[in-house]
Amino acid sequence: MQGYIKTGNSQPAWLFPFIVISVLILSVLPLARLAMVGIWAFANGGVIDVLSAPSLWSATYYTIVTSVLGTVISLAIGCLFAFLLTLTDIRRKGLLSFFFVLPMMIPPQVTALAWVQMSGPSSPLLKALSLAPPMGSPQPLYSLSGIALLYGVQHAPLVYLALRAGLMTLPRDGVEAARLSGASSLRVFRDIILPLSLPGIIAGAAISFVSCTGNFGIPAILGIPASIFTLPTLIFTKFSAFTSRTFGDVAVLSGIIAMISVAGLMIQDRALRGRDYRVIGLSGASAAFELGAWRFVFTPLLWAILFFMLAAPFFALVAGALVPAYGVPLTFKTMSLHAFEEILFRQAVTRTAFINSLSLASATALCLLVVTVLTAYALTRRRDAVSRIVSSLIEIPYSLPGIVMAVSFILVFAAPIPFLNVSLYGTIWIILIAYFSSFFAVSLKPIVSAFHQLDPALEEAARLSGAGFFRRLFDIIVPLIAPAAGASVILVFLIACNELTISALLWSAGTQTLGVAIYNLDDSGSSDLASALSVLVVLMVVVMMLLLECLAKRLPKGVVPWRN
Amino acid sequence: MKTIVSAAALLAASLLAVSASAANLVLYTSQPNEDAQATVDGFMAANPDIKVDWVRDGTPKIIAKLQAEIQAGNPVADVLLIADMVTLERLKEDGKLLAYKSPEAAGYDASLYDADGYYYSTKLITTGIMYNTSAAMKPTSWKDLTKPEAKGLVTMPSPLASGAALIHAQTLAAVPGLGWDFYKSLAENGAIAAGGNGAVLKSVASGEKAYGMVVDYLPIREKAKGAPVEFVFPSEGVSAVTEPVGIFASTKNADAGKKFVDYVLSEKGQEGFLKLGYIPARNGMKLPEGFPARDAIKVLSIKAAEALKNTDQDLKTFSGIYGSN
C-alpha cells in the first residue's frame, strides 16, 4: 500500500483505492457491461436486424435534427441573455439571471406539459382568453420544430452559463483601449468581445447539443403522440414491448446515442483547439457597454422572452390543473380544485412519489457528498496521470444521456447479484445507484473548486502538530468547505428530485418518482392531475433555488450557477 | 457538521423504512389512476389488515414490465387487473397464473370467467366512437369515420399501447365489410393511432381532433363533468373487453390475492365499479348513468383462442398500416 502514498502527503492508504473502487463500480462496470451486451447482440447476427430497422434510422435522424435545431435556438436565446446581463448596465441583472436559469431546474416533462397547455386548440388558457385555434387545428408543438423549440428553451440556460463564465474574465483594458481609440460599440463587440467569447459559445453549444440528444421528457410528451420517436423515446418504447431481444436491442440503441454525444463533444474539442486565448490584465467586464436609449429596446425584450418562457407556461399549467374536464373553458364558475384535492389527499401515488423522490434525492446528495469530499481531497492533493484518469471517468456518466446509464444499470443488475443472491432490479436501490453514478460529477464540482481555494498551510500546520486525517478533516477542512458542500447538496438534490429519464426505465411498484408520476398521470389521460402535480413541483424548485440564493453570499464564486 | 450527520442518519433510516414498509399486496392494473386508487381504497376499507401498493400503465406496458421482472428473477406483482382475457389466457398458458375458484363466480355468466379459475371478468368495457359536440358530422357507423368530413380529424389508441385497442382492432378486422381494409381507408383519410385511450379522450375533448375510437366510460364520464363530448354505439356493433382479474403464480401473498379477487367480484366491489361509471360484469347489476339499456348495445364477439394465435401478426399488420413502432 506504500505505493499509493506520495511523499510530503499524508493521506491514509485506503483513501485512493476507495475512490478508485467507487469509480470502477459507478462508471466502468456499467459501461463495460453495456458495451459487452451491445457487441454480443451484434456478434449474434443481430447486426442486420438492428441496422435494417427503419425505426432506428428515423429515430437517429430525428434525434440529430431536433438536437441541432434546439442547439441553435438555445444559442440564440442564451447568448442574448449572457451578453446583455454580463456586459451591459441593464437593470435588475440578479433577478433576470435567477428567472432565466429557472427553466433548467424544472423537469423537462413539466416544461413540455406546460407548453402544451399553453398552445393549440386544447389550451385551457387560450380558451379562457377566447384565443384558442379552431377544432382540428393540430397542436403545433407535436412536431419536430415543437420538440426543437422546447429543447432550445430548456437548454438556453446552459449556453448562458457557459458563455457567462468566459465573459466574466474578459479583459476590460482591451475594451477601454479600443474605446479610447474611437472604436464604436459595435466594432468593439465584433472585433474584441465576439472572438474572445467564442470558446464559451462553442462550449455552450456542445453542452446544449449533448443534453438535447439525451432528453427524454420533451420528446416523450411532444413526440410520441405524433409518432415522432427520438432514440431515448425509442428505447423507452422498446422496453414497453419487452421481448427476448430487448436487452440486446436497447444496448445497441444506447451505443448509438452515446456515439452521437461523444461526437458532439469531440467537435467541441476540435473547435476549441487553438482558441486558447490567454488574457492578461484587469478582468471582470462588468458593464463594458452603456445601453443608453437601447435600454428601452432590450429591457422589454428580455422580460418578454422570460414571460413566454416562464410565466405564460406556468399560468397555462395552473389553468390546466383548475379545469373540471377536458375542453371546458376555464372561468370563475367552472374553476375547480378537484385535481389538487385528488393529488394531495386521495392519490397514494403522489405521496409515494414525493417520499421516493425526496429520499432518493437527499440520499444521493448526502452520500455523494461524503464520497466527493474524500475524492476532491485526494484529487487536489495528488495531481498525477492516475488522478486525471479518475476525474475523467467520473465525468463520463454525467456527460452521457441518463437513458444510457439506466440501460447499463439494468444490464448489470437485471440478474441477482452473484454470491449474495439479492436482486436489485425492481427495487429503489437500483435507482439510487444509478443516481450516484449520474450525479457524481455534479456533486464533485463545487467541492473541488472549494478545495482549490484552500490554503494548504493550515492543514500542514495541523499535521505537523500531530493531527490525524479525520481530525484534520473535521476540524479544518469541513468547516472551510461547508458552504460549497451545502451548495453541492442542494444542486444534486434539485437535479435528482426532478429526474425522469433514469427512473422512467427503473421504476417498479412503490418506487415511482415524481418524474414518473407526472409522466404516467399525463399518459393515462389525467392531464389535470399531471398539471396539478407539476405546479407543486415547480413551487418546490423555486423554494430550493431561493434557499441556494440565500446561501450564496457565503459561497466561492461560480458555485451558485446564476450568480455573479 | 453534527446536523449534517444526524440528517444523514435520519435519511438513511427513512429510506430503510420505505423499503421495509413493503405492501402486503402489489396490484398491477391498467385502470386510470383515479379508478385504480378508488378500487384499492374500497378493497382496503373491506380488508383493513391488507395494504395494497399499485402500479398503473397500459396493458402491453404492464406485461412488458412483468416479463422484464421475471427475466430478472424478481417478479413484484401479486394480482393483475388488466384490459383483456386474451392477455390473461396467454399468461395462463405460460403457467404464470394461479388457479383459484372464487365462490363469487356463481353470480357470473360462465363465458365471463375461466372454468379452471385462472381469471375472472370484472366489467364490460366497450369501444365505440366519441365526437366533439362542435363537430359537423354526427357519426353513427364505423364507416362514417372514413368519410371526407372526417378527413384528418380521426384519432384512435394504438394496440401497441392499449390492450382494449388490440382487441378492438382484432374484432373489427373480423367483421365482414370492415376488416383491415377499413383500417387502411381510415389511414388514407388521415387518421392517426398513437398512445392509449386517455390520449384519444384528451385529443377529441380538446378539439384537436373531432372523432375518436375510445372506451365507453371515459367520454361518458367526462360528458357528465361538462366536457363537450358525445359517445355513440355504432350500428355495426362495438368491441368489448372485460378487464379480468387474476393472481400471479409467483405470489407470496396468495391469501391476500384471493381476498382481492373475491372483493372485486363481490356485489360491493361491483358497485364500486358501477359508481366509477363502468358496466359491471356481475348478473343483476344496474348500468351506470349515461348508458343506453344493456340490450340496446350490440357487442361484437371475438374468439379468444384465435385472437391470441394471431396477435403478433395482427400487431404487425396494424403497425404496417399506421407506421408506428
Side-chain angles (χ1 to χ4, degrees):
Chain A
M1 290 305 254
Q2 278 300 316
Y4 288 107
I5 304 172
K6 280 189 82 179
T7 44
N9 185 334
S10 64
Q11 304 175 31
W14 55 265
L15 184 61
F16 202 63
F18 166 75
I19 290 158
V20 171
I21 290 171
S22 310
V23 172
L24 281 180
I25 295 176
L26 293 182
S27 89
V28 179
L29 175 71
L31 292 174
R33 184 85 180 95
L34 177 70
M36 245 169 62
V37 174
I39 292 167
W40 194 79
F42 259 97
N44 270 322
V47 200
I48 295 168
D49 273 359
V50 173
L51 295 184
S52 66
S55 63
L56 166 80
W57 295 110
S58 65
T60 309
Y61 171 75
Y62 289 147
T63 306
I64 294 176
V65 169
T66 50
S67 300
V68 169
L69 275 176
T71 304
V72 171
I73 296 169
S74 60
L75 272 180
I77 311 175
C79 290
L80 179 73
F81 271 78
F83 283 127
L84 286 173
L85 293 190
T86 328
L87 298 178
T88 70
D89 58 347
I90 201 159
R91 304 252 170 90
R92 296 187 193 281
K93 285 180 192 174
L95 203 61
L96 280 166
S97 190
F98 181 87
F99 281 134
F100 188 65
V101 177
L102 193 56
M104 188 177 84
M105 303 289 183
I106 290 173
Q109 76 275 22
V110 171
T111 312
L113 210 62
W115 279 70
V116 168
Q117 304 274 30
M118 184 174 70
S119 57
S122 53
S123 164
L125 190 69
L126 292 185
K127 281 196 168 162
L129 300 173
S130 313
L131 289 174
M135 184 169 71
S137 26
Q139 163 60 266
L141 291 173
Y142 290 165
S143 63
L144 282 181
S145 38
I147 295 172
L149 175 68
L150 287 209
Y151 279 173
V153 169
Q154 187 84 24
H155 301 127
L158 292 174
V159 175
Y160 167 76
L161 294 174
L163 176 55
R164 182 182 159 84
L167 289 178
M168 303 292 263
T169 58
L170 271 186
R172 198 155 32 167
D173 25 13
V175 175
E176 272 165 18
R179 275 297 173 81
L180 288 174
S181 328
S184 68
S185 292
L186 204 64
R187 180 99 197 229
V188 173
F189 182 75
R190 202 188 61 202
D191 289 349
I192 299 183
I193 298 196
L194 201 57
L196 285 176
S197 49
L198 261 182
I201 296 179
I202 294 170
I207 302 171
S208 165
F209 177 78
V210 170
S211 308
C212 289
T213 54
N215 196 305
F216 170 74
I218 291 172
I221 291 198
L222 300 184
I224 293 178
S227 294
I228 297 171
F229 289 86
T230 63
L231 288 168
T233 52
L234 185 62
I235 290 182
F236 180 74
T237 43
K238 289 252 176 204
F239 258 98
S240 308
F242 191 87
T243 67
S244 53
R245 278 187 34 199
T246 299
F247 281 144
D249 280 3
V250 298
V252 173
L253 286 172
S254 308
I256 295 177
I257 308 185
M259 280 193 299
I260 295 176
S261 309
V262 171
L265 292 173
M266 275 165 62
I267 294 171
Q268 173 210 8
D269 203 45
R270 190 66 194 264
L272 284 181
R273 209 171 295 160
R275 283 195 198 279
D276 185 10
Y277 305 115
R278 301 292 158 103
V279 286
I280 310 165
L282 217 61
S283 72
S286 46
F289 297 100
E290 276 164 24
L291 281 178
W294 283 99
R295 170 169 304 148
F296 300 109
V297 177
F298 285 122
T299 312
L301 177 68
L302 293 194
W303 284 106
I305 293 177
L306 281 180
F307 175 79
F308 281 107
M309 275 174 68
L310 279 176
F314 182 72
F315 286 130
L317 208 53
V318 174
L322 292 177
V323 288
Y326 294 112
V328 180
L330 182 68
T331 63
F332 283 106
K333 254 195 199 148
T334 58
M335 194 179 286
S336 132
L337 288 174
H338 166 80
F340 284 100
E341 258 170 61
E342 179 77 28
I343 277 294
L344 286 171
F345 306 117
R346 247 160 268 144
Q347 288 286 312
V349 71
T350 318
R351 207 181 54 236
T352 314
F354 263 107
I355 292 176
N356 283 338
S357 276
L358 295 182
S359 30
L360 278 170
S362 338
T364 309
L366 292 173
C367 296
L368 273 183
L369 180 67
V370 175
V371 182
T372 46
V373 168
L374 294 173
T375 309
Y377 182 88
L379 292 183
T380 43
R381 291 294 181 277
R382 47 177 301 162
R383 302 175 182 185
D384 53 0
V386 185
S387 67
R388 269 198 300 279
I389 293 174
V390 168
S391 23
S392 42
L393 283 177
I394 294 172
E395 286 284 331
I396 292 176
Y398 178 63
S399 49
L400 287 180
I403 203 138
V404 176
M405 292 320 293
V407 169
S408 310
F409 276 100
I410 291 178
L411 297 175
V412 173
F413 292 118
I417 303 171
F419 309 119
L420 295 175
N421 211 13
V422 182
S423 199
L424 286 189
Y425 185 71
T427 68
I428 200 155
W429 304 107
I430 190 171
I431 305 182
L432 188 65
I433 295 179
Y435 279 8
F436 282 169
S437 167
S438 287
F439 306 135
F440 200 156
V442 182
S443 171
L444 187 62
K445 201 180 157 247
I447 311 277
V448 166
S449 62
F451 266 100
H452 279 306
Q453 290 186 350
L454 275 190
D455 187 350
L458 277 176
E459 203 203 340
E460 209 51 26
R463 192 169 70 93
L464 290 173
S465 324
F469 174 68
F470 283 106
R471 188 70 195 262
R472 290 184 329 247
L473 195 67
F474 287 118
D475 287 354
I476 297 181
I477 296 175
V478 169
L480 286 174
I481 60 160
S488 154
V489 166
I490 297 180
L491 271 181
V492 174
F493 184 89
L494 260 176
I495 300 175
C497 224
N498 293 324
E499 194 283 333
L500 167 68
T501 323
I502 296 173
S503 46
L505 281 195
L506 299 180
W507 72 280
S508 179
T511 70
Q512 295 96 331
T513 61
L514 281 172
V516 169
I518 293 173
Y519 179 72
N520 261 334
L521 283 170
D522 183 58
D523 192 47
S524 76
S526 314
S527 73
D528 52 339
L529 301 190
S531 306
L533 188 52
S534 302
V535 169
L536 298 179
V537 168
V538 171
L539 293 179
M540 186 180 79
V541 169
V542 174
V543 169
M544 298 296 298
M545 282 177 65
L546 286 174
L547 268 181
L548 208 51
E549 179 79 25
C550 294
L551 207 63
K553 284 184 206 96
R554 306 180 48 203
L555 291 174
K557 254 192 163 186
V559 164
V560 177
W562 56 90
R563 296 268 303 196
N564 279 350
Chain B
M1 190 60 212
K2 247 188 200 153
T3 47
I4 295 186
V5 171
S6 49
L10 201 75
L11 236 136
S14 68
L15 208 64
L16 281 173
V18 168
S19 59
S21 74
N24 318 107
L25 196 67
V26 177
L27 164 71
Y28 275 23
T29 180
S30 61
Q31 293 174 285
N33 286 60
E34 288 181 67
D35 302 353
Q37 187 65 49
T39 308
V40 165
D41 286 347
F43 172 71
M44 289 202 290
N47 298 272
D49 50 326
I50 303 173
K51 191 181 163 291
V52 185
D53 230 337
W54 53 274
V55 164
R56 188 224 83 88
D57 220 327
T59 298
K61 289 189 189 173
I62 287 281
I63 296 302
K65 215 165 193 44
L66 275 173
Q67 271 171 331
E69 282 170 6
I70 293 168
Q71 195 128 346
N74 186 23
V76 182
D78 296 310
V79 190
L80 281 171
L81 180 59
I82 53 174
D84 59 279
M85 286 215 257
V86 176
T87 305
L88 279 168
E89 178 65 31
R90 176 186 298 224
L91 288 173
K92 172 193 164 186
E93 282 175 16
D94 292 346
K96 296 283 187 327
L97 295 181
L98 183 87
Y100 166 57
K101 299 229 165 152
S102 172
E104 300 286 346
Y108 288 75
D109 213 62
S111 66
L112 287 174
Y113 60 90
D114 179 62
D116 304 322
Y118 284 98
Y119 53 83
Y120 298 87
S121 299
T122 62
K123 50 190 87 118
L124 193 70
I125 301 175
T126 71
T127 293
I129 302 175
M130 77 181 282
Y131 63 89
N132 192 302
T133 45
S134 50
M137 172 187 65
K138 315 281 175 227
T140 55
S141 140
W142 291 112
K143 286 200 165 156
D144 286 345
L145 299 182
T146 60
K147 285 185 178 166
E149 293 99 298
K151 193 166 180 63
L153 293 175
V154 179
T155 177
M156 66 187 103
S158 161
L160 298 134
S162 153
L166 173 61
I167 301 288
H168 180 67
Q170 290 182 311
T171 309
L172 288 201
V175 172
L178 289 174
W180 287 116
D181 284 341
F182 166 65
Y183 275 95
K184 270 182 212 144
S185 46
L186 269 179
E188 280 158 17
N189 206 24
I192 60 159
N197 285 284
V200 172
L201 168 71
K202 194 160 114 183
S203 169
V204 176
S206 62
E208 221 170 284
K209 298 281 174 188
Y211 311 100
M213 294 185 186
V214 77
V215 289
D216 51 25
Y217 63 94
L218 287 176
I220 291 177
R221 255 180 0 193
E222 288 296 303
K223 185 191 165 193
K225 279 195 250 168
V229 293
E230 201 61 65
F231 184 80
V232 285
F233 294 87
S235 52
E236 296 95 335
V238 289
S239 72
V241 291
T242 58
E243 197 141 84
V245 61
I247 305 171
F248 217 53
S250 65
T251 178
K252 295 180 194 84
N253 309 304
D255 285 339
K258 289 171 185 171
K259 280 187 187 155
F260 186 85
V261 171
D262 289 343
Y263 171 77
V264 288
L265 299 181
S266 72
E267 213 155 309
K268 193 148 193 236
Q270 291 283 303
E271 257 163 31
F273 291 139
L274 179 66
K275 246 185 247 158
L276 290 171
Y278 295 96
I279 306 175
R282 196 183 170 95
N283 293 334
M285 304 285 297
K286 280 190 298 194
L287 252 62
E289 241 166 81
F291 280 87
R294 191 156 183 167
D295 47 4
I297 306 171
K298 183 183 169 197
V299 178
L300 296 164
S301 63
I302 181 166
K303 294 190 186 80
E306 208 169 300
L308 176 59
K309 208 173 68 212
N310 296 334
T311 293
D312 288 339
Q313 185 53 44
D314 290 343
L315 281 175
K316 250 186 213 150
T317 310
F318 191 92
S319 306
I321 300 174
Y322 287 92
S324 37
N325 288 282

